[in-house]
Amino acid sequence: MAKRLATEYVNAKLQLNQEEMTKFIAFMEDQQLRMQVLVLDNGNQELLLHDIAGREEVRLTFERRQGYYVCELSCRLVEPKLTNALRKAVTAFRGNAIVNRIYSHYTMIYHYRNGAVQKIVESSEAGERIVFEHKDTLGQLERVFRSRLIEREIGLIGGAVNELLDLRNQTTDRAEIATIDQRLTELTHKLFVLEA
C-alpha cells in the first residue's frame, strides 16, 4: 500500500456555536495531542495543536462572527496524529473542505460538504478520474415524485378550466358568468404558479 507523504487542507471551514466550540475543544483534547487554547481580547479563540513528538503544529483561529466561531484553514500536515484529528473534526463538526492526500505518484482529492465526503478524485500525471461521487438518490426520487404530482394537478386544473369555459359559453345569466369568470381567474393563477 502506498505511503501518504502529506495531507493538505485547502479552504477548510468550520462554523461552530458556543456549545459546539466547547465540544470541539474537548474533542481535540481526546485526540492525544498537546493543545493550547488562547482566548483573544476580541472574543476570538486560537487553538495550537502539536503532535506528541512536537515535530508539527497547526494553529486554528476561530473568529467570532454573528454568534458563531468560524475557522478558515489551509495547511499542510505530515504527522498522522494531527492529520487524523483534523479529518475527524471536519467530519464530526460538519465542516467543508478540500483535502489533498498526497502520495508519491498521485494525489487523492476529497471534497467535504457538511462533514460528509461528496466526491473523491484521483489526480496523477495521466489526468484526473472520479473515484467516488455522492448521489442524492432519495432527494432525486422526491423531486421526481413532486414533479409528477404537479403535472397531474396541472392536468386536473386544465380539465376544470375546459369544463368552466364550456359552461360559460352555454350560460346567459350574468351572475353565473361572473361566478365562472372568478373561478377561471383563480384556476389560471393556480396554473401559473404550478407551471413556474
Side-chain angles (χ1 to χ4, degrees):
M1 185 168 163
K3 183 179 186 304
R4 188 178 338 165
L5 302 176
T7 302
E8 289 179 332
Y9 285 83
V10 182
N11 299 327
K13 183 176 181 179
L14 294 168
Q15 183 170 311
L16 312 174
N17 62 30
Q18 180 65 49
E19 181 183 340
E20 290 169 328
M21 186 65 190
T22 303
K23 288 179 182 176
F24 183 83
I25 292 170
F27 174 85
M28 283 302 179
E29 287 173 344
D30 292 342
Q31 300 305 308
Q32 299 176 353
L33 299 168
R34 286 195 333 233
M35 181 175 69
Q36 291 175 283
V37 179
L38 306 169
V39 179
L40 306 175
D41 290 338
N42 53 8
N44 296 346
Q45 292 191 25
E46 278 190 356
L47 274 68
L48 291 172
L49 304 172
H50 305 266
D51 69 314
I52 294 175
R55 290 181 291 212
E56 190 170 51
E57 77 173 28
V58 66
R59 179 183 305 260
L60 305 177
T61 302
F62 286 89
E63 293 181 18
R64 294 281 289 163
R65 295 186 198 159
Q66 300 172 346
Y68 288 94
Y69 289 95
V70 179
C71 176
E72 293 173 346
L73 170 73
S74 293
C75 66
R76 182 181 177 105
L77 300 171
V78 176
E79 297 301 320
K81 283 241 188 248
L82 275 174
T83 301
N84 289 332
L86 280 183
R87 177 184 52 79
K88 290 176 187 177
V90 166
T91 301
F93 294 91
R94 300 174 314 282
N96 298 325
I98 296 173
V99 180
N100 298 325
R101 295 189 175 131
I102 302 167
Y103 298 88
S104 60
H105 292 58
Y106 61 94
T107 299
M108 299 300 284
I109 305 166
Y110 289 70
H111 298 261
Y112 287 85
R113 188 170 62 234
N114 293 324
V117 175
Q118 299 298 307
K119 183 163 64 168
I120 302 172
V121 177
E122 179 182 344
S123 177
S124 66
E125 289 180 5
E128 290 188 349
R129 72 178 181 95
I130 295 174
V131 176
F132 166 80
E133 190 162 18
H134 173 75
K135 296 195 179 4
D136 183 14
T137 307
L138 181 60
Q140 289 172 344
L141 288 173
E142 285 178 8
R143 285 187 290 280
V144 168
F145 179 72
R146 271 193 235 110
S147 73
R148 290 206 175 131
L149 283 178
I150 290 172
E151 289 169 7
R152 204 152 146 223
E153 190 172 354
I154 288 171
L156 291 171
I157 291 173
V161 166
N162 288 338
E163 287 178 23
L164 286 170
L165 288 172
D166 289 343
L167 185 62
R168 187 182 193 285
N169 289 336
Q170 298 167 4
T171 302
T172 55
D173 181 16
R174 292 206 179 276
E176 195 172 330
I177 289 174
T179 304
I180 291 171
D181 286 346
Q182 177 60 37
R183 184 71 184 129
L184 282 169
T185 301
E186 292 168 3
L187 289 175
T188 53
H189 177 72
K190 194 168 187 180
L191 270 175
F192 178 76
V193 169
L194 288 172
E195 288 176 346

